[in-house]
Amino acid sequence: MEPAELRRAVEAARATAVELGLRVDDVVVVHDSDRVALRLLPCDVLARVAPPGQLADSAFEVEVARRLAAVDAPVGGLDPRVEPRVYVRDGFAVSLWIYYAPVAAEITPAAYADVLMRQHAALRRVELDAPHFTDRAARALREVTDRERSPDLSDADRDLLARTLGEVSAAIGADRSRDQLLHGEPHEGNLLATERGPLFVDLATCCRGPVEFDLAHAPDGVAEHYAGADPDLFHRCRAVDWAMFAAWRWRRADQMPDRDRWRTEGLALVRASLDRRGVG
């Protein structure tokens, strides 16, 4: 967030928590992107604050968390001291979560696969309307095909991303027999090592698709430990995943740190994934 917007987001979180009877003497920024995560002290709450326009996404995330908690899924929970919902203050959507102190425990590929399998099993027990992952690919495709939004893309790279986000994504989505609810982005940044064991966070990306789409976000080696995963489908999903990532980096308005490096790296990883399944 821009500095002025971040200050407003911090105040929105602080005021919301205080109004709910929680003591807040200090606020620590844990993560700052389009949404921010703030640790409120001494009540020790993690506040997730989204800007105006993301209320629906925040409400969806809270609903996913509520339903997964009911089936004992390995996910970070909402703070039990307040009503589990989104609070709106100064236009910001504020949700309050349990803060988990990080522990220095390594999550091995086998352990990662195990917790992801448990997450998928829990998601199969949840009834929830969620978009298909191809909807996200379609949004990224619009960024690629609009030259005004992505003016720096070369014709060859634009064609690579367009084919991957269009044709490869459509081919995966044509067979819905393996689809189920997914986390959506279970990468390393969204799996916390805690005293309760590994827990997934950032649930707003929940979508439908094959489990291989989730595996495509996991670190190298995890898919090898996930029973029943289709290697060919995994590499196709990984190509789409990296194509979406690259599409966002090539937007004119993208502000990700070290963007130029990630632009090049993203394209290279798309090609590598396509080559591994023999279609690139």
Side-chain angles (χ1 to χ4, degrees), residues 9 13 16 29 36 48 70-71 83 117 162 199 231 245 257 269:
T16 298
V29 178
V36 293
R48 293 175 63 81
V71 295
E83 184 181 349
M117 284 189 283
L199 298 175
F245 175 85
L269 289 165

Side-chain angles (χ1 to χ4, degrees), residues 7-20:
R7 287 193 294 272
R8 290 176 51 227
V10 168
E11 177 55 25
R14 187 200 66 77
T16 298
V18 169
E19 192 172 85
L20 292 168

Side-chain angles (χ1 to χ4, degrees), residues 51-69:
Q54 293 191 27
L55 175 59
D57 290 343
S58 296
F60 178 69
E61 179 178 38
V62 166
E63 184 60 21
V64 173
R66 289 179 62 251
R67 298 198 183 199
L68 286 175

Side-chain angles (χ1 to χ4, degrees), residues 41-109:
L41 296 166
C43 63
D44 221 10
V45 168
L46 185 76
R48 293 175 63 81
V49 186
Q54 293 191 27
L55 175 59
D57 290 343
S58 296
F60 178 69
E61 179 178 38
V62 166
E63 184 60 21
V64 173
R66 289 179 62 251
R67 298 198 183 199
L68 286 175
V71 295
D72 198 28
V75 296
L78 293 154
D79 193 286
R81 292 171 288 181
V82 300
E83 184 181 349
R85 66 178 182 86
V86 174
Y87 300 85
V88 179
R89 194 175 194 99
D90 191 21
F92 290 96
V94 181
S95 53
L96 301 177
W97 303 76
I98 298 171
Y99 176 79
Y100 298 95
V103 298
E106 178 187 2
I107 303 176
T108 65

Side-chain angles (χ1 to χ4, degrees), residues 118-276:
R118 289 192 287 116
Q119 173 77 335
H120 287 157
L123 284 161
R124 287 193 290 271
R125 298 171 59 192
V126 169
E127 291 292 332
L128 186 73
D129 288 331
H132 198 265
F133 86 88
T134 51
D135 296 338
R136 290 166 54 186
R139 289 197 297 272
L141 178 59
R142 288 193 289 272
E143 299 292 330
V144 170
T145 55
D146 188 333
R147 292 179 179 272
E148 291 188 2
R149 294 189 181 189
S150 51
D152 298 332
L153 262 174
S154 69
D155 288 343
D157 291 338
R158 192 181 304 277
D159 180 66
L160 170 71
L161 294 181
R163 284 190 296 110
T164 306
L165 293 168
E167 297 171 15
V168 178
S169 176
I172 297 169
D175 179 7
R176 303 287 174 104
S177 62
R178 297 172 63 93
D179 284 2
Q180 68 153 80
L181 277 177
L182 305 173
H183 178 284
E185 289 187 3
H187 53 67
E188 288 178 282
N190 285 337
L191 184 60
L192 306 181
T194 78
E195 291 182 351
R196 287 185 50 199
L199 298 175
F200 285 107
V201 296
D202 200 356
L203 305 173
T205 54
C206 181
C207 61
R208 291 191 176 274
V211 296
E212 286 81 1
F213 182 74
D214 265 359
L215 282 167
H217 291 78
D220 290 339
V222 172
E224 299 168 12
H225 295 275
Y226 193 105
D230 182 324
D232 178 76
L233 181 55
F234 164 73
H235 288 300
R236 285 189 287 159
C237 286
R238 179 156 276 191
V240 173
D241 173 35
W242 280 116
M244 288 192 293
F245 175 85
W248 301 130
R249 302 293 74 79
W250 284 94
R251 290 180 303 163
R252 182 201 301 270
D254 186 62
Q255 297 181 358
M256 184 174 181
D258 206 10
R259 182 182 70 172
D260 290 344
R261 179 175 74 87
W262 284 115
R263 283 179 166 185
T264 303
E265 184 75 5
L267 291 168
L269 289 165
V270 173
R271 291 189 175 91
S273 297
L274 292 174
D275 287 343
R276 292 197 65 178

